[in-house]
Amino acid sequence: MRIIPPGSGIIHQVNLEYLARVVFDQNGYYYPDSVVGTDSHTTMINGLGVLGWGVGGIEAEAVMLGQPISMVLPEVIGYKLIGSPQSLVTSTDIVLTVTKHLRQVGVVGKFVEFFGPGVAQLSIADRATIANMCPEYGATAAFFPVDEVSIKYLIQTGRDQEKIQHIRKYLEAAGMFRDFSNSSQDPEFTQIIELNLQTVVPCCSGPKRPQDKVMVSDMKKDFETCLGAKQGFKGFQIASEHHDKKVKFVYSDMEFELTHGSVVIAAITSCTNTSNPSVMLGAGLLAKKAVEAGLAVKPYIKTSLSPGSGVVTYYLRESGVMPYLAQLGFDVVGYGCMTCIGNSGPLPEPVVEAITQGDLVAVGVLSGNRNFEGRVHPNTRANYLASPPLVIAYAIAGTVRIDFEKEPLGVNVHGKKIFLKDIWPLREEIQAVERQYVIPGMFKEVYQKIETVNKAWNNLDVPSDKLYAWNPKSTYIKSPPFFENLTLELPPPKSIVDAYVLLNLGDSVTTDHISPAGNIARNSPAARYLTSRGLTPRDFNSYGSRRGNDAVMARGTFANIRLLNKFLNKQAPQTIHLPSDETLDVFDASERYQQAGHPLIVLAGKEYGSGSSRDWAAKGPFLLGIKAVLAESYERIHRSNLVGMGVIPLQYLPGEDAESLGLTGQERYTIIIPQELVPRMNVQIKLDTGKTFQAIMRFDTDVELTYFRNGGILNYMIRKMAT
């Protein structure tokens, strides 16, 4: 049992630099380290040769209570890397290229293992970056076997020398220590895909999904195409006559101008990149050269640096680049996910007013792993993932409508044009600084203090009671209603009769659409609830901070302002209450349905539930009275979370979808649940129109069926413990 106090960093980075053992030594027995975590980016540890993946919080709670994890044996896709990266390319460019490639291949529910001579060209930090974004390309795990580079990393991060020797000896004896130049060691794979690292070029991803890669050289043209394109993953549907609209505003007694494409948030953040010294030092060296060249960032742009551990601050300070980062506005604001999870905080009021007045597509640029609509900030409709050096470059430029090859970043006080190529550090230059300043003593010094450094945490008054004392006045932690009316007697499976469709959704609906973690809009059902409890808007905080309160989280379900519901012709957290034909907030509509005793379902397209392993994206729909979801495909963790809450994940038969079946969502649905259930069985669905079709009930194992019969994992565990 190890407890890392809040404020120490991002757990995946702490795991990589400190917690991971690689090989366990238990009473003289050796066996490989492995991990499951309640965040999808747990996969980051695969970069160090530790097999691990994310699970939902519901599934993790069951594991802590002694339940095994059940899964269908996965296919293993071999991803062969050859060649060496070009000197201007970063690990971020590589991972965004891999993400787009594997999304196109389709690896949901599969393991990916990297092999080939190109792997030896990547540092552990580079490998961890690629493994980290595994959820963005949809795989369960993205594994890099242990090799000589892994051992050197364990030495670099100050691990115990004797333990490192045992790790090597055990893995060699077990046939698990790899030489990537020796092809005779390559395993057999279900399928092999290849990438030549030499072909990777500097890139970003966006404006709305991590898999939508854009070469930096095409960024200006791509954004301008997106402006006029139809509303969608690559479109904002802005009329062509408004593409060059400008809005002036005053900030700090100076006049500025915003247009479509103006950068208003620039954040070096997230476990994906802040764990990687090469891109962090690259950002620092670029900042140094930019300041020395006389460049600056406009004061209204919200800049921040939120590393994943204190080690980053240490080597940025020791290498002398921290003052230059600070001068450009990239001060350390804390250690954690920050902007990547939506905790960027408010933008200056004049900036918000200018964006609203001009209906502008303002931009956030971040070194994160997710840029789904409404996640980063409600006022940035376009958000691009980029390497830390590129985050600074776009902050200096102040816009993404720039061709770095032809247009300068800025002009210094002497009138000289400064181009990106003038200040971009080479890979060899970064590596020299890394060798000098990223040293074992640094890791030891930071991590020796990590469990005692947070004085506020250590001084907390801890009650000795065995049961939690619920405070009825608290708006943060509330006794949840999940176990109300629970009986020890197991109820028989029941069909869902005459269900209404609460929402009719399209493809790539993320857990951020289903259960946002960011700010609570002032006109939302959650805001009305908090106001009724005596809170003012400045005290609303975020949905993420209030996930201990089901009353807030139920009202926050489907509350993303960028939710696109086919019942409406606009983006809004609303739906049509079909019996009355009224447009209501989703929570208010669900309340009406539940009061009338009507069960609910959701219709969706491909990749339903992609994104964070957010258990509230299953708990919330459960509280809204949703009994089933009918989708074309699911992301693994979200499907598992739905199972955990007893919500049925239904999947169209191959080749079928809502359009081919002629479903509008206006129908009422009866889903026939037989008494005898088997994994992945077809069930019959009858509509009130007389139409009948079949769908796959996506309970993939007998264990999942047991959970369903019990109304969810936790109900099952309570019955099991009680009997």
Side-chain angles (χ1 to χ4, degrees), residues 535-567:
L535 274 69
T536 58
R538 64 174 295 165
D539 297 318
F540 286 171
N541 212 327
S542 64
Y543 286 111
S545 69
R546 291 192 178 275
R547 58 184 150 200
N549 187 329
D550 62 274
V552 173
M553 298 308 290
R555 287 164 174 80
T557 304
F558 295 108
N560 188 314
I561 59 169
R562 303 293 175 206
L563 183 72
L564 193 57
N565 180 2
K566 292 179 184 178
F567 286 157

Side-chain angles (χ1 to χ4, degrees), residues 168-195:
R168 177 193 277 278
K169 285 181 181 176
Y170 167 75
L171 292 173
E172 285 175 344
M176 294 171 67
F177 193 85
R178 293 291 292 280
D179 174 0
F180 289 107
S181 64
N182 183 356
S183 60
S184 68
Q185 292 185 4
D186 294 346
E188 290 183 20
F189 295 107
T190 309
Q191 179 186 356
I192 290 177
I193 301 153
E194 188 173 290
L195 174 68

Side-chain angles (χ1 to χ4, degrees), residues 253-385:
D253 299 324
M254 292 183 284
E255 188 173 82
F256 296 99
E257 189 176 80
L258 288 184
T259 64
H260 294 296
S262 290
V263 173
V264 295
I265 291 176
I268 298 174
T269 181
S270 147
C271 49
T272 305
N273 284 294
T274 68
S275 60
N276 194 324
S278 66
V279 292
M280 296 303 287
L281 287 167
L285 291 171
L286 183 138
K288 181 174 184 288
K289 293 182 180 189
V291 170
E292 289 171 347
L295 297 176
V297 175
K298 293 181 179 69
Y300 63 82
I301 297 176
K302 187 150 198 175
T303 49
S304 61
L305 168 59
S306 51
S309 84
V311 171
V312 180
T313 308
Y314 201 124
Y315 65 66
L316 290 178
R317 189 176 62 236
E318 291 296 305
S319 61
V321 297
M322 187 64 93
Y324 300 99
L325 286 162
Q327 195 167 329
L328 293 178
F330 292 91
D331 295 286
V332 174
V333 293
Y335 300 92
C337 298
M338 306 286 173
T339 302
C340 188
I341 193 69
N343 291 337
S344 53
L347 292 172
E349 203 56 46
V351 173
V352 174
E353 287 171 5
I355 293 169
T356 306
Q357 181 189 329
D359 190 28
L360 298 177
V361 180
V363 178
V365 184
L366 64 152
S367 65
N369 44 48
R370 296 206 172 114
N371 54 342
F372 303 126
E373 293 178 285
R375 177 185 175 101
V376 174
H377 195 281
N379 294 115
T380 57
R381 281 152 73 184
N383 296 282
Y384 288 92
L385 306 181

Side-chain angles (χ1 to χ4, degrees), residues 612-660:
S612 303
S613 60
R614 202 164 288 165
D615 52 352
W616 269 109
K619 290 176 178 174
F622 171 85
L623 293 175
L624 295 189
I626 293 167
K627 305 299 182 186
V629 177
L630 176 57
E632 291 177 57
S633 64
Y634 294 87
E635 289 291 276
R636 175 186 61 86
I637 297 176
H638 184 63
R639 187 199 63 81
S640 175
N641 278 339
L642 290 174
V643 170
M645 290 308 299
V647 177
I648 305 174
L650 296 168
Q651 188 166 314
Y652 293 104
L653 298 181
E656 293 185 352
D657 56 23
E659 188 176 352
S660 69

Side-chain angles (χ1 to χ4, degrees), residues 43 77-83 85 89-108 110-115 118-119 122 126-144 193-205 209-215 272 369 385:
T43 53
I77 308 300
Y79 199 96
K80 187 175 185 179
L81 296 176
I82 61 172
V89 164
T90 68
S91 59
T92 315
D93 303 320
I94 296 170
V95 73
L96 295 180
T97 301
V98 169
T99 299
K100 180 175 183 179
H101 189 191
L102 285 175
R103 266 292 170 193
Q104 289 171 333
V105 170
V107 290
V108 172
K110 301 175 184 179
F111 283 13
V112 174
E113 182 173 325
F114 292 85
F115 73 108
V119 175
L122 302 175
D126 290 342
R127 298 175 195 182
T129 298
I130 295 167
N132 177 287
M133 280 193 74
C134 175
E136 280 63 61
Y137 41 87
T140 300
F143 188 68
F144 287 86
I193 301 153
E194 188 173 290
L195 174 68
N196 186 341
L197 294 171
Q198 184 70 31
T199 64
V200 177
V201 296
C203 57
C204 300
S205 276
R209 296 191 304 180
Q211 63 261 44
D212 294 330
K213 185 185 83 166
V214 187
M215 290 189 293
T272 305
N369 44 48
L385 306 181

Side-chain angles (χ1 to χ4, degrees), residues 458-722:
N458 293 329
N459 292 333
L460 281 175
D461 181 29
V462 183
S464 57
D465 310 27
K466 289 192 175 178
L467 293 177
Y468 185 77
W470 301 102
N471 177 3
K473 293 180 180 176
S474 174
T475 56
Y476 278 98
I477 301 177
K478 175 179 171 290
S479 180
F482 303 123
F483 309 120
E484 290 172 5
N485 306 317
L486 179 66
T487 62
L488 292 181
E489 189 179 334
L490 194 64
K494 284 201 297 190
S495 296
I496 299 167
V497 180
D498 280 341
Y500 279 99
V501 174
L502 180 63
L503 293 150
N504 188 359
L505 305 170
D507 294 341
S508 293
V509 172
T510 71
T511 51
D512 278 290
H513 289 107
I514 303 167
S515 183
N519 83 311
I520 297 171
R522 294 185 181 193
N523 60 347
S524 65
R528 292 195 288 275
Y529 167 79
L530 291 171
T531 302
S532 74
R533 298 296 301 268
L535 274 69
T536 58
R538 64 174 295 165
D539 297 318
F540 286 171
N541 212 327
S542 64
Y543 286 111
S545 69
R546 291 192 178 275
R547 58 184 150 200
N549 187 329
D550 62 274
V552 173
M553 298 308 290
R555 287 164 174 80
T557 304
F558 295 108
N560 188 314
I561 59 169
R562 303 293 175 206
L563 183 72
L564 193 57
N565 180 2
K566 292 179 184 178
F567 286 157
L568 308 170
N569 289 319
K570 61 178 181 177
Q571 287 185 326
Q574 295 178 317
T575 193
I576 293 175
H577 178 252
L578 296 173
S580 67
D581 203 34
E582 280 183 75
T583 299
L584 300 170
D585 287 326
V586 174
F587 174 80
D588 296 337
S590 81
E591 243 191 347
R592 276 211 205 167
Y593 282 121
Q594 289 191 82
Q595 285 165 0
H598 298 309
L600 297 170
I601 68 167
V602 169
L603 299 183
K606 300 180 185 73
E607 298 171 2
Y608 182 74
S610 54
S612 303
S613 60
R614 202 164 288 165
D615 52 352
W616 269 109
K619 290 176 178 174
F622 171 85
L623 293 175
L624 295 189
I626 293 167
K627 305 299 182 186
V629 177
L630 176 57
E632 291 177 57
S633 64
Y634 294 87
E635 289 291 276
R636 175 186 61 86
I637 297 176
H638 184 63
R639 187 199 63 81
S640 175
N641 278 339
L642 290 174
V643 170
M645 290 308 299
V647 177
I648 305 174
L650 296 168
Q651 188 166 314
Y652 293 104
L653 298 181
E656 293 185 352
D657 56 23
E659 188 176 352
S660 69
L661 292 169
L663 307 180
T664 65
Q666 306 278 343
E667 312 89 353
R668 295 184 72 174
Y669 291 68
T670 295
I671 300 158
I672 310 297
I673 309 296
Q675 295 301 301
E676 295 296 320
L677 300 172
V678 295
R680 293 202 178 200
M681 70 184 296
N682 288 0
V683 294
Q684 199 170 46
I685 301 175
K686 295 180 177 179
L687 308 184
D688 62 342
T689 59
K691 186 180 183 66
T692 300
F693 63 97
Q694 290 193 329
I696 305 163
M697 194 156 64
R698 282 293 311 277
F699 297 119
D700 290 352
T701 65
D702 287 322
V703 173
E704 290 187 348
L705 281 172
T706 300
Y707 295 154
F708 169 64
R709 290 188 188 98
N710 279 271
I713 289 180
L714 299 183
N715 288 355
Y716 167 75
M717 292 304 298
I718 287 172
R719 287 194 179 100
K720 184 179 177 182
M721 288 186 286

Side-chain angles (χ1 to χ4, degrees), residues 8-253:
S8 308
I10 301 170
I11 192 59
H12 311 310
Q13 188 163 337
V14 175
N15 191 19
L16 184 73
E17 296 173 351
Y18 176 58
L19 289 174
R21 282 111 158 143
V22 183
V23 169
F24 266 76
D25 172 6
Q26 198 95 9
N27 303 322
Y29 288 94
Y30 292 91
Y31 56 91
D33 192 354
S34 61
V35 63
V36 292
T38 56
D39 183 89
S40 53
H41 294 109
T42 299
T43 53
M44 183 173 180
I45 202 60
N46 288 273
L48 188 55
V50 176
L51 183 63
W53 61 85
V55 296
I58 304 159
E59 200 171 356
E61 286 163 348
V63 171
M64 288 193 288
L65 291 169
Q67 278 298 103
I69 287 179
S70 72
M71 63 188 300
V72 175
L73 196 66
E75 295 179 18
V76 182
I77 308 300
Y79 199 96
K80 187 175 185 179
L81 296 176
I82 61 172
S84 299
Q86 300 176 44
S87 62
L88 295 178
V89 164
T90 68
S91 59
T92 315
D93 303 320
I94 296 170
V95 73
L96 295 180
T97 301
V98 169
T99 299
K100 180 175 183 179
H101 189 191
L102 285 175
R103 266 292 170 193
Q104 289 171 333
V105 170
V107 290
V108 172
K110 301 175 184 179
F111 283 13
V112 174
E113 182 173 325
F114 292 85
F115 73 108
V119 175
Q121 303 296 315
L122 302 175
S123 68
I124 292 302
D126 290 342
R127 298 175 195 182
T129 298
I130 295 167
N132 177 287
M133 280 193 74
C134 175
E136 280 63 61
Y137 41 87
T140 300
F143 188 68
F144 287 86
V146 174
D147 69 342
E148 200 63 52
V149 176
S150 316
I151 298 296
K152 286 178 181 173
Y153 179 81
L154 294 174
I155 295 167
Q156 182 190 36
T157 50
R159 262 60 169 222
D160 182 86
Q161 289 288 344
E162 189 179 354
K163 287 182 179 175
I164 293 172
Q165 287 177 356
H166 290 164
I167 290 168
R168 177 193 277 278
K169 285 181 181 176
Y170 167 75
L171 292 173
E172 285 175 344
M176 294 171 67
F177 193 85
R178 293 291 292 280
D179 174 0
F180 289 107
S181 64
N182 183 356
S183 60
S184 68
Q185 292 185 4
D186 294 346
E188 290 183 20
F189 295 107
T190 309
Q191 179 186 356
I192 290 177
I193 301 153
E194 188 173 290
L195 174 68
N196 186 341
L197 294 171
Q198 184 70 31
T199 64
V200 177
V201 296
C203 57
C204 300
S205 276
K208 301 181 185 183
R209 296 191 304 180
Q211 63 261 44
D212 294 330
K213 185 185 83 166
V214 187
M215 290 189 293
V216 170
S217 56
D218 293 341
M219 186 72 152
K220 179 179 181 179
K221 181 183 172 186
D222 186 82
F223 179 82
E224 289 174 347
T225 302
C226 288
L227 269 184
K230 184 183 174 186
Q231 182 68 249
F233 302 129
K234 296 285 285 185
F236 297 102
Q237 211 162 329
I238 303 295
S240 56
E241 63 268 24
H242 297 311
H243 284 196
D244 295 317
K245 181 183 282 187
K246 296 177 172 62
V247 180
K248 294 187 186 309
F249 68 99
V250 175
Y251 179 75
S252 293
D253 299 324

